[in-house]
Amino acid sequence: MTENKPVILTADDKSVELAIHSGTIGPSCVDISKLYKETGHFTYDPGFMSTASCRSAITYIDGDAGVLMYRGYPIEQLAKHSNFLEVSYLLMNGELPSANQYSTFEHEVTHHTMMHEAFRTFLYGFRHDAHPMAMMTGMLGSLAAFYHGDLDLEDPEQRRLAAIRLLAKVPTIAAACHRYSIGWPIRYPRNNIEYVDRFLHMMFEVPSEPLMLSPVAAKALDLLFILHADHEQNASTSTVRLVGSTGANPYACVAAGVAALWGPAHGGANEAVLQMLNEIGRPENVGSAIDKAKDKNSGFRLMGFGHRVYKNFDPRAKIIREMCHQVLAELGVNDPLLEVAMRLEEAALKDEYFIARKLYPNVDFYSGIIYKALNIPAEMFTVMFAIARTAGWVSHWLEQQNDPENKIGRPRQLYTGAAARDYTPIAGR
Ligand code: CMC
């Protein structure tokens, strides 16, 4: 980090020198941490449009140039050459693993995939039609109860182990939620197969016959996991960090991240995209969907379009779009929704409303069509996102726990409520 000439801010009759910090790349940051103490003013930035909440060395995004890098490696290269487990190691540890480091990591993750049997009782307490994201939030939160007493957050090895456990157990929990909702017996994780294959087995294998797993499906899912693994200080990761800043149990932090991810403005968009494409139904209806999205009174947005950071294109969407065509062709799936999606994308990209606001397809626009081709039900789409993003959440949590600047997250506010007034007894109101 380099330091620059400070800026001088004058408020009322007080001037304050504010340091400017520069990172490796990307915009520099004006350090306002002393502003209140020295001037009595807060800053105001709803939605954190201009506010960096922490220093981080994990992921870099240049939204104008459509660049995404994990630990300096461009997402396109990782998508082409790596796999999800290697990417998870990279995010957590900062460097790509050697062959030995990779096999140790894989062994560790593989041998932490089992759940305590009491989880079944907990799972069976949900209604059969519970949304899997609600179940995921509850189940992950409950992990805190299983690993609390013996967890010393001051011990780096115990923190690392908690991160490995999360990465290992989230797919087991996700598959269990799915199987419970369709009334299938829960499958135990198999240790003789790889991470993504293991997850697909836990999802789809039935006791009565072996599962013939398509390598195309496993490869596609692995790639989707890589693309969703991290995205710097997004809403769910910032939630994990905010909860983590209080010294809370890491499983509780990740459960909070899952809850934040569920919203349709964030990870819930992938499920919403499929719902929207189904509602549009046919390419002829694309024009009226575009008109509705432009009408502010309709309350309707094009799901899978727009991003807070990407204002040119989302590099993940570019990779997924290409993959979508390949996967459907290789699996022999002819999904009419792909035609609807392509026509919608084409029409929006030519439309002045979307051009002026720099709204492009995001990572979720095509991912649902791929999940659908892999027989993953729509209500599980955001759960898929959660499995992948667990790698990012635990990496940020680990980074935060090591950060000497870590303080409890406590934003301030611009108070707009009533000024001081006297209590009136009920009879006099
Ligand atoms: N359809 C129609 N209009 C839109 C859309 C959309 N999808 N997205 C933004 N706008 C308009 C919005 O109405 C506003 O117009 P105006 O300037 O006239 O008031 C302008 O574009 C800016 O929108 P904003 O809501 O201020 O932008 P934001 O940066 O706060 O929101 C977003 C980003 C992703 C929440 C938003 O684009 C959105 O709701 N998109 C649809 C949901 C979606 O696909 N979310 C997944 C995001 S990618 C996965 C992830 O990282 O979680």
Side-chain angles (χ1 to χ4, degrees):
M1 194 184 71
T2 54
E3 300 298 321
N4 307 282
K5 207 164 155 242
V7 289
I8 313 285
L9 186 135
T10 307
D12 306 329
D13 55 348
K14 285 189 195 125
S15 285
V16 57
E17 249 188 33
L18 302 173
I20 299 191
H21 309 308
S22 292
T24 330
I25 31 176
S28 50
C29 295
V30 180
D31 184 339
I32 54 160
S33 54
K34 305 247 172 348
L35 188 71
Y36 175 60
K37 206 167 142 199
E38 299 198 6
T39 69
H41 289 286
F42 295 148
T43 54
Y44 181 64
D45 184 20
F48 298 100
M49 300 292 286
S50 304
T51 299
S53 59
C54 60
R55 295 170 202 254
S56 182
I58 300 174
T59 289
Y60 175 75
I61 302 174
D62 180 337
D64 294 324
V67 168
L68 168 63
M69 299 190 295
Y70 297 160
R71 301 283 188 182
Y73 294 102
I75 192 67
E76 293 79 6
Q77 291 184 23
L78 293 169
K80 193 163 177 199
H81 303 295
S82 189
N83 66 50
F84 176 65
L85 217 51
E86 184 178 68
V87 163
S88 303
Y89 181 98
L90 172 69
L91 289 169
M92 285 167 68
N93 297 286
E95 296 298 335
L96 286 166
S98 66
N100 270 347
Q101 286 167 329
Y102 181 79
S103 67
T104 309
F105 184 69
E106 188 183 30
H107 184 271
E108 266 194 297
V109 172
T110 303
H111 290 84
H112 282 288
T113 48
M114 293 277 290
M115 302 292 293
H116 191 290
E117 278 300 298
F119 269 94
R120 280 176 192 255
T121 328
F122 192 69
L123 182 71
Y124 295 160
F126 284 103
R127 269 175 60 129
H128 69 282
D129 57 353
H131 194 285
M133 281 299 279
M135 292 161 89
M136 288 290 289
T137 314
M139 297 287 285
L140 270 157
S142 79
L143 269 178
F146 286 82
Y147 303 102
H148 188 76
D150 59 348
L151 185 69
D152 175 7
L153 291 185
E154 296 300 313
D155 177 356
E157 179 49 26
Q158 289 199 40
R159 295 201 297 262
R160 195 190 67 83
L161 187 58
I164 297 268
R165 280 196 176 120
L166 275 157
L167 197 62
K169 290 185 201 303
V170 165
T172 312
I173 298 173
C177 292
H178 167 62
R179 292 179 79 101
Y180 174 68
S181 69
I182 56 167
W184 283 9
I186 311 300
R187 294 305 279 167
Y188 288 111
R190 281 173 46 181
N191 284 0
N192 59 342
I193 46 180
E194 290 181 358
Y195 190 89
V196 168
D197 289 13
R198 183 185 313 121
F199 170 66
L200 288 169
H201 272 87
M202 287 190 287
M203 282 284 284
F204 299 122
E205 194 174 41
V206 288
S208 37
E209 59 187 38
L211 176 71
M212 305 312 271
L213 197 58
S214 150
V216 177
K219 177 91 197 77
L221 194 56
D222 193 73
L223 184 52
L224 284 171
F225 282 178
I226 293 175
L227 299 178
H228 285 89
D230 194 42
H231 217 226
E232 47 118 312
Q233 311 307 325
N234 57 85
S236 56
T237 303
S238 296
T239 303
V240 170
R241 279 184 177 264
L242 189 61
V243 182
S245 77
T246 69
N249 179 297
Y251 304 97
C253 297
V254 170
V258 173
L261 184 73
W262 192 8
H266 192 9
N270 55 14
E271 185 179 346
V273 169
L274 202 77
Q275 214 171 349
M276 173 189 77
L277 293 176
N278 273 320
E279 278 164 18
I280 297 174
R282 294 204 304 264
E284 307 84 273
N285 301 335
V286 158
S288 53
I290 297 270
D291 290 342
K292 199 170 155 197
K294 290 173 3 184
D295 174 5
K296 297 278 193 248
N297 297 320
S298 71
F300 171 74
R301 284 187 167 198
L302 276 195
M303 298 315 288
F305 256 78
H307 198 275
R308 168 61 61 80
V309 183
Y310 295 120
K311 300 298 175 195
N312 181 339
F313 67 93
D314 179 339
R316 303 167 300 173
K318 220 170 165 181
I319 300 170
I320 290 186
R321 186 185 199 277
E322 204 175 296
M323 182 191 10
C324 188
H325 288 278
Q326 263 173 28
V327 170
L328 265 58
E330 286 180 38
L331 292 177
V333 173
N334 181 14
D335 189 340
L337 290 189
L338 181 59
E339 178 64 24
V340 177
M342 287 189 327
R343 290 279 284 276
L344 192 63
E345 179 185 0
E346 197 183 25
L349 292 181
K350 278 196 220 137
D351 192 289
E352 197 39 50
Y353 173 97
F354 292 89
I355 296 170
R357 288 167 183 78
K358 301 186 172 173
L359 301 170
Y360 298 87
N362 60 47
V363 68
D364 286 328
F365 192 65
Y366 283 101
S367 65
I369 298 178
I370 304 176
Y371 289 136
K372 186 171 169 238
L374 305 183
N375 289 324
I376 293 169
E379 63 277 12
M380 283 293 287
F381 290 0
T382 313
V383 175
M384 298 295 114
F385 195 153
I387 296 174
R389 188 54 58 85
T390 300
W393 291 331
V394 298
S395 304
H396 282 271
W397 179 79
L398 286 170
E399 180 177 67
Q400 178 192 42
Q401 300 300 310
N402 252 329
D403 182 351
E405 285 185 336
N406 181 31
K407 280 182 188 309
I408 184 168
R410 178 38 172 110
R412 308 307 290 253
Q413 63 170 8
L414 179 61
Y415 176 68
T416 58
R421 49 185 168 162
D422 290 324
Y423 177 82
T424 322
I426 196 161
R429 281 176 226 156

